[in-house]
Amino acid sequence: MQPKKTESAPSAEGKTSIQVIERMMKLLDVLAEHADPVQLKQLAIETGLHPSTAHRILGAMTHSGFVERSEAGAYRLGIRLLELGSLVKSRISLRETAMPYMLKLHAATGESVNLGVRAGDEIVYVERTSSGRASVRVVHIVGARAPLHTTATGKLFLVEDGLERIRDYARRTALPASTPASITALPALEKELDRVRRHGVAFDLDEVEAGVRCIAAGIRDDSGELIAGLSLSTPSERFNPDWAPLVRETADEISRALGHLPPKTG
């Protein structure tokens, strides 16, 4: 009779290697929380590591460029992390990153989902999932353009501009109307943008095309810059403002996938 095969336990060496990696990550996380170089004693306290253990691991990370040690013996994150971060960032495509989340939002609502970016005084739509059931033609086809003040995504970018640049935009463009519902007066636009600022989402209620409504939320990159807007567009008769939190949540997921870390609260 053959003896039963049992799954072999991880070797002591394997356990030790994993433990070292976990301790290394602890040290990196603590260093990331400090703007200034941190002394070994403080690092040991905040990570719960013995000073000699922390010193040994920091020595190895210093040698590889993940950590830098100052003449005063304090530690900070090293240039190697910046190099790797830049490499990761260069390989991230907004459209490729956003599409799985856009498809998920499309599946949850059954409506068209758009990805728009700013080009001067207009929004350009660079990606879209089609609802496949729209009874009204939706203007947000890939490559389509629309003025900032009439689109939900455009309003997000105007909020980011601040009051002075909003007024410059109004003077420069004269706020042309696309439909009778379009905002064409600066006071009304400022009031609308204040709502967008407070709620973190923007609406286009028949303002680009009669019979079409949109909800949009902003997408930010790793530096916190607003780089795109995610919008859900529907025929007016199917419009549901209760989708706003879902749109915002999806935009936040895309932002996190691009490396954006929202500011800590509390």
Side-chain angles (χ1 to χ4, degrees):
M1 185 175 171
Q2 292 289 329
K4 246 185 177 180
K5 287 187 178 177
T6 57
E7 194 175 320
S8 59
S11 67
E13 187 181 345
K15 281 184 177 177
T16 303
S17 298
I18 292 169
Q19 195 176 50
V20 169
I21 292 169
E22 288 173 347
R23 289 170 174 177
M24 188 174 86
M25 294 309 300
K26 270 187 184 179
L27 286 162
L28 290 174
D29 284 342
V30 170
L31 287 170
E33 290 173 2
H34 291 270
D36 298 318
V38 188
Q39 293 290 335
L40 174 63
K41 184 179 178 182
Q42 186 65 29
L43 284 169
I45 291 169
E46 292 191 35
T47 59
L49 298 175
H50 191 278
S52 64
T53 302
H55 183 264
R56 186 174 68 253
I57 296 171
L58 286 164
M61 288 198 292
T62 300
H63 181 70
S64 61
F66 289 103
V67 169
E68 291 178 0
R69 186 175 185 269
S70 69
E71 288 181 8
Y75 296 88
R76 64 182 179 186
L77 297 178
I79 198 71
R80 182 67 180 141
L81 291 170
L82 179 61
E83 291 168 353
L84 292 173
S86 297
L87 187 62
V88 171
K89 185 178 179 182
S90 70
R91 291 177 180 175
I92 292 176
S93 160
L94 170 63
R95 290 166 72 174
E96 287 176 10
T97 302
M99 184 49 77
Y101 300 96
M102 292 173 67
L103 290 172
K104 187 171 79 167
L105 179 60
H106 169 77
T109 61
E111 302 294 351
S112 298
V113 181
N114 317 288
L115 185 67
V117 298
R118 183 174 188 169
D121 291 338
E122 296 177 311
I123 290 298
V124 180
Y125 294 95
V126 296
E127 197 59 87
R128 179 174 184 252
T129 68
S130 177
S131 71
R133 65 173 192 170
S135 57
V136 177
R137 181 178 65 84
V138 177
V139 75
H140 304 324
I141 57 174
V142 173
R145 291 172 175 260
L148 295 176
H149 67 287
T150 61
T151 63
T153 292
K155 290 172 186 176
L156 297 170
F157 279 96
L158 285 173
V159 166
E160 204 78 357
D161 278 352
L163 191 56
E164 200 53 49
R165 289 172 68 187
I166 290 167
R167 290 172 178 172
D168 287 343
Y169 168 83
R171 283 193 292 269
R172 185 168 63 249
T173 64
L175 302 179
S178 299
T179 72
S182 299
I183 295 172
T184 56
L186 180 59
L189 180 61
E190 289 179 353
K191 189 176 179 182
E192 171 75 357
L193 295 179
D194 184 56
R195 275 195 294 269
V196 175
R197 188 180 295 108
R198 284 186 283 110
H199 296 293
V201 291
F203 294 91
D204 150 22
L205 304 179
D206 302 88
E207 296 165 57
V208 174
E209 184 175 6
V212 177
R213 298 189 170 189
C214 292
I215 309 168
I219 295 170
R220 297 182 182 275
D221 66 9
D222 60 321
S223 70
E225 182 183 352
L226 180 67
I227 58 167
L230 178 80
S231 62
L232 184 74
S233 56
T234 76
S236 297
E237 66 268 18
R238 291 206 301 264
F239 178 71
N240 183 355
D242 292 340
W243 278 330
L246 185 56
V247 174
R248 187 170 56 215
E249 187 180 303
T250 305
D252 288 345
E253 287 178 333
I254 297 170
S255 298
R256 285 193 293 273
L258 292 169
H260 176 61
L261 296 174
K264 291 181 181 178
T265 55

